[in-house]
Amino acid sequence: MKTTARIAVPIILVLAVSLFFQGHNLPGGGFIGGVLTTTAFVLVYVAYGLDYLEAGVLDREVDPGTGIFEHRSVTAYRRTFVLGLTIVVGSGLAGLLLGGSFLAQDYVILHDVPVYHEVELASALVFDLGVYLVVVGGLLTILSVVGAE
C-alpha cells in the first residue's frame, strides 16, 4: 500500500490541479479538484496513518493526549473550510460591490504568455478556488474525525 500511495498520490494531485484550472471554462473544476485532492490525502492516511503528515512530513511532534478536534491537522482542515467559504461568499458579493449582480463574472485575456501564447483568466476561478477549499477542508475534517473513532 505504501508503494502504491507513493506512485498514485502525485499523479492524483497533478490531475486534481489540472481539473481545477479547467473549471473556469468548464463547470465543476473546484469541486472535482477538491474531491481528487481529498482522495490523495485519504490514500496517504490509509497507507501511513493520520499522524504521518504531522510527524513524517512537517516534522512536528504529535501529542497523543489531545483529542481529535484539537489535532493540528483537523484544526488546519477546519480553517481551510472557513477560508474557502469566505472566498465563495466574497466572490459572490464582489459582483454586487462592483455594480453587477450576485456572482457576476468577467474575464481578461493575457497575450504573449510563454508556452501558452494566450491565457484567459476568468473571475469564476476565484469562486472555484473557494469551492475547492470548502470541499478539501470539509471532507478531510469529516474523514479525520470519523477515522479517529
Side-chain angles (χ1 to χ4, degrees), residues 105-116:
Q105 69 173 0
D106 201 4
Y107 69 94
V108 64
I109 297 176
L110 302 176
H111 299 281
D112 300 323
V113 177
V115 179
Y116 294 105

Side-chain angles (χ1 to χ4, degrees), residues 1-9 43:
M1 186 66 192
K2 291 180 180 182
T3 303
T4 303
R6 286 182 184 174
I7 294 169
V9 167
L43 276 175

Side-chain angles (χ1 to χ4, degrees), residues 14 17 38 48 51 54 56 69 73 107 115 136-137:
V14 167
V17 169
T38 303
Y48 296 98
D51 293 331
E54 287 290 323
F69 290 106
S73 295
Y107 69 94
V115 179
V136 169

Side-chain angles (χ1 to χ4, degrees), residues 12 15-17 19-20 28-38 132 135-136:
I12 292 170
L15 182 61
V17 169
L19 289 173
F20 170 75
F31 180 78
I32 192 62
V35 170
L36 282 174
T37 301
T38 303
Y132 175 85
V135 169
V136 169

Side-chain angles (χ1 to χ4, degrees), residues 88-143:
V88 166
V89 171
S91 69
L93 294 176
L96 289 175
L97 294 175
L98 297 174
S101 63
F102 185 74
L103 282 177
Q105 69 173 0
D106 201 4
Y107 69 94
V108 64
I109 297 176
L110 302 176
H111 299 281
D112 300 323
V113 177
V115 179
Y116 294 105
H117 305 294
E118 281 188 355
V119 174
E120 179 183 323
L121 289 179
S123 61
L125 187 63
V126 175
F127 178 79
D128 275 339
L129 175 65
V131 171
Y132 175 85
L133 293 174
V134 165
V135 169
V136 169
L139 286 178
L140 286 177
T141 301
I142 291 168
L143 291 171

